[in-house]
Amino acid sequence: MAMRGKEEKMNRKKIIFATKNKGKIKEIKVILGDVFEVISMEEAGIDTEIIEDGVTFEENALKKATEIMKISNEIVLADDSGLEIDFLNKKPGVYSARYMGENTPYSIKNNKILEIMKDVPIEQRTARFVCVIAAALPKPFNKNFTVRETIEGIIGYEIQGKNGFGYDPIFYLPDRKCTTAQLSMEEKNKISHRGKALFLMKNELKRILR
Ligand code: IMP
């Protein structure tokens, strides 16, 4: 069994994950690393800036994956994610990182959302994190596809928790009675949009590449 594990590790297929975010790469290596050799753009020696100008998560993720696949001729994955708030017509959505300006601290962005929604009743506070992961496979596969996962919650009435990043301190999970910023990284990965999308992608790739 140990020998088989070693062999599997040696035969792992190389995958480039098109992100410059070191935290994400670490998380992705934990989830995909037993089956695939995941390398970052930096590790692959690629330093291309890709403009995320799509209006859907799918468009942005596919653009990043296909452009890097064309440059590298390797299997490439790329993700795009964001927060959809139903009361705000699913905004900030694909513009989550750019909402109120890319360099505006999340303490300010989160407080702004709480302020806008201060009188909104609980049943109208529904929201979700969405994660789309795109795969671009070179020849002989010649195939692009996406997977999408979400985690449903509500926008809380106050900032709570210090873990995670971005909008986590205002994203409240009613069944757990806490925000995603109050979960450990391991707990969040099991139920999050990104964790679930990575598992889905892992299974799809195992099926296609076997
Ligand atoms: P990107 O997928 O790296 O482009 O991230 C888009 C943006 O969505 C992030 O900068 C955050 O604002 C938001 N976001 C995505 N996933 C999460 C999450 O798990 N927690 C909090 N914010 C998130």
Side-chain angles (χ1 to χ4, degrees), residues 169-186:
I170 59 166
F171 190 76
Y172 188 81
L173 303 170
D175 49 344
R176 297 203 170 219
K177 297 189 172 57
C178 70
T179 66
T180 41
Q182 291 172 300
L183 297 175
S184 68
M185 203 218 264
E186 292 72 31

Side-chain angles (χ1 to χ4, degrees), residues 19 21 24 52 64 79-83 93-94 96-97 106 109 129-130 164-169 180 188 192-194:
T19 181
N21 180 323
K24 262 192 202 173
E52 295 186 19
K64 284 187 273 185
D79 76 332
D80 195 33
S81 59
L83 175 65
V94 285
S96 291
Y106 276 93
K109 298 190 196 203
F129 281 127
V130 179
F165 68 101
Y167 300 101
D168 281 326
T180 41
K188 187 180 160 193
S192 80
H193 50 316
R194 200 171 358 269

Side-chain angles (χ1 to χ4, degrees), residues 2 19 27 30 56 62 72 82 102 158 168 181:
T19 181
E27 189 182 309
V30 169
T56 64
L62 272 171
S72 64
E102 188 113 30
E158 58 184 5
D168 281 326

Side-chain angles (χ1 to χ4, degrees), residues 56-210:
T56 64
F57 296 109
E58 277 78 4
E59 266 180 69
N60 282 335
L62 272 171
K63 183 178 181 195
K64 284 187 273 185
T66 50
E67 290 198 10
I68 302 298
M69 187 271 280
K70 281 181 205 149
I71 295 171
S72 64
N73 208 35
E74 301 278 2
I75 300 168
V76 180
L77 300 184
D79 76 332
D80 195 33
S81 59
L83 175 65
E84 288 183 350
I85 302 175
D86 291 328
F87 185 76
L88 303 180
N89 297 321
K90 300 201 172 173
K91 290 202 172 63
V94 285
Y95 306 105
S96 291
R98 288 163 278 172
Y99 177 65
M100 294 180 74
E102 188 113 30
N103 296 322
T104 305
Y106 276 93
S107 53
I108 295 179
K109 298 190 196 203
N110 285 334
N111 275 308
K112 178 75 187 173
I113 292 172
L114 293 181
E115 169 63 23
I116 295 171
M117 296 192 52
K118 69 177 189 310
D119 297 322
V120 177
I122 196 152
E123 61 279 6
Q124 288 177 38
R125 301 181 77 88
T126 49
R128 70 206 52 78
F129 281 127
V130 179
C131 177
V132 169
I133 303 180
L137 315 187
K139 283 183 190 151
F141 308 102
N142 250 345
K143 191 177 162 77
N144 305 325
F145 63 95
T146 59
V147 297
R148 169 186 272 248
E149 282 282 6
T150 60
I151 174 172
E152 298 287 330
I154 61 169
I155 300 302
Y157 285 95
E158 58 184 5
I159 302 276
Q160 283 185 78
K162 294 199 181 325
N163 302 335
F165 68 101
Y167 300 101
D168 281 326
I170 59 166
F171 190 76
Y172 188 81
L173 303 170
D175 49 344
R176 297 203 170 219
K177 297 189 172 57
C178 70
T179 66
T180 41
Q182 291 172 300
L183 297 175
S184 68
M185 203 218 264
E186 292 72 31
E187 284 171 320
K188 187 180 160 193
N189 280 348
K190 278 188 210 145
I191 57 166
S192 80
H193 50 316
R194 200 171 358 269
K196 290 191 293 185
L198 280 167
F199 272 108
L200 200 57
M201 178 54 83
K202 181 180 182 176
N203 288 335
E204 275 301 292
L205 287 176
K206 273 164 74 176
R207 195 175 56 75
I208 295 166
L209 302 176
R210 75 170 166 229

Side-chain angles (χ1 to χ4, degrees), residues 1-13 33-37:
M1 202 57 198
M3 190 60 200
R4 203 164 137 228
K6 210 169 170 184
E7 263 171 38
E8 272 171 8
K9 212 156 196 162
M10 282 168 62
N11 294 329
R12 287 179 310 166
K13 266 214 159 47
D34 58 333
V35 180
F36 300 107
E37 182 196 352

